[in-house]
């Protein structure tokens, strides 16, 4: 079996790690497929041996994309060079994300020639990415090809449910394919020896700073636990996120919060050593594709605290991974906002802008629906506010012992139960091992190869947009 894996780039990150883990998993097979990875940039790593760089595959806008037919031809040529012949299967990541509209259309052209395809979305242009969605305008009608030889793989039940809905009368199967979890890198230092460069009582948020990681909530928790130390690991690489990152850093310094931003860039200590040194791992993210951050801490034998995202983690809970101690909302009394009416106004403005950017008509009761979702029983979920409102609340609660105690009662860093760690670690090993992932993926490949060709159709992506673009899902950090 010859497989061509396609992604825009192989820079360090989630999709690259998935591809690297996939190839590594198959090396243990007696008769592994032959793989080539097609990418738009030079690969900076060393784990993937067979890489072909395809000009025009990298991120691009509608104005500087190459013609889809040219990209298709280049993909075919590169695959043949890397495999010594035509691929039996094309395994394509994030084809409909809007990062390169030519790839979206090139995939449709491959489908029209009845190539067997596995389309593997990790994220969606329809999910809080209106600029990506706009980039797909000219090709969106062919973004979701459907036939028995075009299969889809999703990371979680939410995406699985949403995609199955738009394919309800179509021929394309949709598979649930959760990412594999690899064993963590070991720390160089002895586990029992503290590292002097790092603060004691450290709670580490091991993420690169992007807006959806909700750094304001990290600052709020730091304000509520002055006896602890907090940090996130890395600053942003995307210049778009730098002003917000620097804003939180300056704000936290101004009011002396016990939090360090981009700790990994201010120390010579390795990332595994930071994790090992930490008293606990924290998450405040408000949106994830797969939710790796809810699994990896347990593999490093660290307790995870913070915010849950039930629509993502329900899959994990169903498999016996205990996340009951995480909070779904971080409720703050509305009295900590100077102007409560300003919140509803912001919600309405954000919704109107959001629906306008997506070219959709806002529901008549959209503002009220969003407000009732964000505010319940005169308490607002802190993680759904924008930075200005979050700063206002932090300044208010920092003056109130009672308010800080109310936050502590929800975050519950004091309630760490080490007995949960081995149980969760074993459940993750059992359900997310690389061997299990390989078995599932191989079965999907074989199902695609044994599928009979039939006429090609295109699903209406607008139905997918309807699922994501709901006022009740509004978060001001994603507008």
């Amino acid at each position: 079996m010859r497989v061509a894996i396609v992604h825009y780039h192989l820079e360090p990150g989630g999709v690259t790690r998935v591809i690297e883990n996939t190839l590594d998993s198959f090396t243990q097979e007696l008769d592994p497929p032959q793989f080539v990875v097609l990418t738009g940039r030079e690969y900076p790593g060393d784990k993937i041996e067979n890489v072909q760089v395809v000009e025009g595959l990298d991120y691009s806008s509608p104005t500087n994309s190459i013609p889809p037919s040219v990209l298709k031809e280049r993909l075919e040529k590169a695959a043949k060079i890397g495999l010594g012949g035509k691929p039996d299967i094309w395994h394509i990541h994030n084809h409909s994300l809007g990062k390169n509209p030519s790839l979206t259309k090139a995939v449709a052209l491959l489908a029209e020639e009845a190539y067997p395809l596995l389309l593997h979305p990790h994220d969606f242009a329809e999910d809080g990415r209106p600029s990506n969605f706009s980039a797909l305008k000219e090709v969106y009608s062919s973004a979701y090809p459907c036939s028995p030889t075009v299969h889809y793989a999703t990371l979680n039940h939410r995406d699985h449910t949403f995609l199955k809905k738009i394919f309800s009368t179509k021929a394309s199967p949709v598979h649930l394919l959760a990412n594999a979890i690899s064993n963590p890198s070991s720390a160089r230092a002895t586990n029992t020896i503290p590292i002097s460069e790092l603060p004691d009582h450290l709670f580490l948020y091991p993420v690169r700073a992007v807006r959806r990681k909700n750094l304001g909530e990290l600052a709020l928790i730091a304000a509520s636990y002055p006896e602890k130390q907090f940090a996130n690991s890395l600053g942003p690489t995307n210049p778009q996120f730098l002003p917000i990152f620097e804003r939180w850093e300056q704000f936290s310094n101004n009011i002396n919060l016990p939090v360090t931003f981009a700790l990994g860039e201010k120390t010579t200590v390795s990332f595994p050593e930071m994790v090992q040194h930490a008293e606990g791992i924290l998450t405040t993210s408000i949106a994830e594709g797969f939710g790796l951050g809810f699994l990896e801490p347990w593999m490093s034998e660290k307790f995870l605290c913070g915010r849950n995202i039930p629509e993502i983690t329900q899959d994990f809970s169903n498999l016996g991974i205990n996340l009951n101690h995480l909070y779904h909302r971080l409720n703050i009394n509305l009295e900590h906002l100077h102007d409560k009416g300003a919140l509803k106004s912001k919600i309405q403005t954000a919704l109107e802008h959001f629906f306008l950017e997506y070219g959709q008509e806002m529901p008549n009761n959209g503002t009220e629906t969003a407000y009732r979702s964000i505010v319940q029983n005169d308490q607002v979920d802190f993680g759904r506010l924008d930075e200005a409102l979050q700063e206002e609340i932090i300044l208010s609660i920092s003056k109130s012992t009672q308010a800080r105690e109310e936050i502590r009662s929800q975050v519950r860093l004091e309630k760490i139960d080490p007995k949960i760690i081995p149980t969760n670690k074993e459940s993750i090993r059992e359900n997310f091992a690389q061997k299990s992932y390989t078995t599932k993926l191989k079965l999907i490949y074989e199902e695609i190869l044994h599928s009979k060709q039939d006429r090609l159709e295109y699903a209406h992506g607008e139905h997918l947009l309807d699922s994501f673009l709901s006022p009740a899902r509004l978060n001001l950090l994603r507008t």
Side-chain angles (χ1 to χ4, degrees):
M1 185 191 305
R2 293 184 291 210
V3 181
I5 296 179
V6 180
H7 189 242
Y8 307 102
H9 63 78
L10 292 173
E11 296 295 327
V15 177
T16 299
R17 195 186 323 176
V18 168
I19 293 171
E20 290 172 340
N21 287 347
T22 298
L23 301 186
D24 182 58
S25 299
F26 272 104
T27 60
Q28 312 301 319
E29 294 288 306
L30 292 176
D31 184 24
Q34 181 186 354
F35 288 99
V36 65
V37 181
L38 311 183
T39 181
R41 304 177 203 169
E42 293 290 340
Y43 173 47
D46 57 9
K47 294 183 178 180
I48 303 174
E49 295 180 1
N50 192 4
V51 176
Q52 294 287 323
V53 177
V54 179
E55 187 178 353
L57 176 56
D58 202 351
Y59 291 166
S60 66
S61 68
T63 56
N64 62 18
S65 295
I66 66 172
S69 58
V70 174
L71 180 55
K72 170 183 170 287
E73 291 172 4
R74 290 179 181 176
L75 290 169
E76 290 173 309
K77 181 179 179 181
K80 287 179 182 178
I81 292 172
L83 295 170
K86 290 171 59 175
D88 297 305
I89 290 177
W90 293 83
H91 183 166
I92 304 173
H93 294 268
N94 271 344
H95 80 288
S96 60
L97 185 55
K99 293 290 190 179
N100 182 340
S102 281
L103 177 62
T104 307
K105 184 62 178 179
V107 167
L109 296 177
L110 291 172
E112 287 173 7
E113 293 192 14
Y115 281 108
L117 303 177
L118 176 60
L119 304 181
H120 196 163
H122 299 247
D123 302 288
F124 294 86
E126 295 86 354
D127 183 20
R129 294 174 173 86
S131 60
N132 291 31
F133 186 78
S134 178
L136 293 172
K137 184 176 181 180
E138 298 300 321
V139 300
Y140 195 61
S141 62
S142 53
Y144 295 101
C146 307
S147 84
T149 55
V150 179
H151 290 220
Y152 289 77
T154 65
L155 305 185
N156 56 65
H157 269 107
R158 180 202 65 188
D159 297 347
H160 187 258
T161 300
F162 287 178
L163 271 184
K164 281 184 75 74
K165 190 183 297 183
I166 74 167
F167 296 142
S168 60
T169 61
K170 309 296 182 185
S172 282
V174 183
H175 305 273
L176 182 61
L177 183 66
N179 289 336
I181 305 297
S182 55
N183 289 322
S185 302
S186 59
R188 293 192 304 268
T190 305
N191 293 353
T192 56
I193 300 176
I195 298 169
S196 58
E197 281 187 51
L198 301 178
D200 292 333
H201 308 297
L202 173 65
F203 281 80
L204 180 67
Y205 186 13
V207 293
R208 185 174 295 284
V210 296
R211 198 177 185 213
R212 65 181 171 85
K213 297 301 182 180
N214 188 16
L215 293 183
E217 196 156 296
L218 177 65
L220 175 75
I221 294 171
S224 304
Y225 284 89
E227 74 276 20
K228 305 289 186 183
Q229 291 290 326
F230 300 86
N232 90 292
S233 51
L234 296 170
T237 54
N238 187 334
Q240 175 186 349
F241 299 119
L242 191 58
I244 292 174
F245 174 76
E246 291 176 339
R247 175 178 179 166
W248 280 118
E249 193 166 38
Q250 186 64 50
F251 174 83
S252 300
N253 287 338
N254 288 345
I255 61 173
N256 298 315
L257 296 182
V259 59
T260 303
F261 294 95
L263 177 63
E265 298 169 8
K266 299 172 181 174
T267 177
T268 60
V269 174
S270 70
F271 177 71
E273 287 171 329
M274 282 197 291
V275 171
Q276 194 60 55
H277 176 83
E279 185 175 324
I281 304 299
L282 190 68
T283 178
T284 58
S285 176
I286 49 91
E288 295 294 330
F290 171 60
L292 205 60
F294 293 99
L295 302 178
E296 286 187 327
W298 310 105
M299 297 303 291
S300 297
E301 299 187 347
K302 290 292 174 176
F303 195 89
L304 176 68
C305 311
R307 178 176 287 271
N308 202 348
I309 309 177
E311 67 178 16
I312 300 299
T313 63
Q314 187 58 52
D315 294 349
F316 309 153
S317 299
N318 292 343
L319 294 171
I321 297 161
N322 187 346
L323 301 175
N324 294 337
H325 54 285
L326 302 181
Y327 56 84
H328 298 179
R329 294 172 55 93
L330 189 49
N331 286 314
I332 306 292
N333 197 300
L334 280 176
E335 68 185 15
H336 294 287
L337 290 176
H338 300 314
D339 184 356
K340 299 168 192 172
L343 173 58
K344 184 168 283 191
S345 177
K346 277 196 174 188
I347 289 172
Q348 180 165 340
T349 300
L351 272 179
E352 289 173 350
H353 180 66
F354 214 41
F355 275 80
L356 180 63
E357 283 193 297
Y358 272 109
Q360 304 293 306
E361 193 171 320
M362 194 175 99
N364 291 331
N365 62 344
T367 300
E368 192 62 32
T369 299
Y371 184 83
R372 289 180 180 176
S373 177
I374 294 171
V375 178
Q376 297 176 7
N377 300 318
D378 289 327
Q379 293 185 311
V380 61
D381 182 2
F382 183 88
R384 298 178 71 178
L385 301 176
D386 64 13
E387 288 81 6
L389 293 173
Q390 288 186 340
E391 286 181 359
E392 184 180 322
I393 286 173
I394 294 171
L395 289 172
S396 178
I397 70 100
S398 64
K399 301 170 186 174
S400 168
T401 301
Q402 180 182 346
R404 292 196 300 274
E405 286 299 322
E406 288 172 357
I407 292 167
R408 291 170 71 112
S409 70
Q410 297 176 74
V411 178
R412 298 186 298 174
L413 296 186
E414 309 91 338
K415 302 295 184 182
I416 288 178
D417 181 359
K419 295 193 290 288
I420 296 176
I421 294 174
T423 304
N424 280 356
K425 184 176 181 179
E426 184 55 37
S427 294
I428 294 165
R429 273 183 171 164
E430 182 178 335
N431 293 288
F432 297 95
Q434 287 188 324
K435 177 66 177 174
S436 173
Y437 181 86
T438 305
T439 300
K440 292 175 186 175
L441 183 55
K442 193 173 183 181
L443 287 173
I444 293 171
Y445 284 165
E446 289 173 351
E447 185 177 332
I448 295 171
L449 288 177
H450 291 115
S451 298
K452 294 182 179 179
Q453 295 178 6
D454 201 347
R455 70 187 182 92
L456 183 71
E457 300 178 274
Y458 290 97
H460 294 292
E462 291 82 1
H463 298 322
L464 183 61
L465 184 59
D466 290 341
S467 295
F468 279 114
L469 194 61
S470 163
R473 295 172 57 84
L474 178 73
N475 189 304
L476 295 178
L477 289 178
R478 302 202 75 197
T479 58

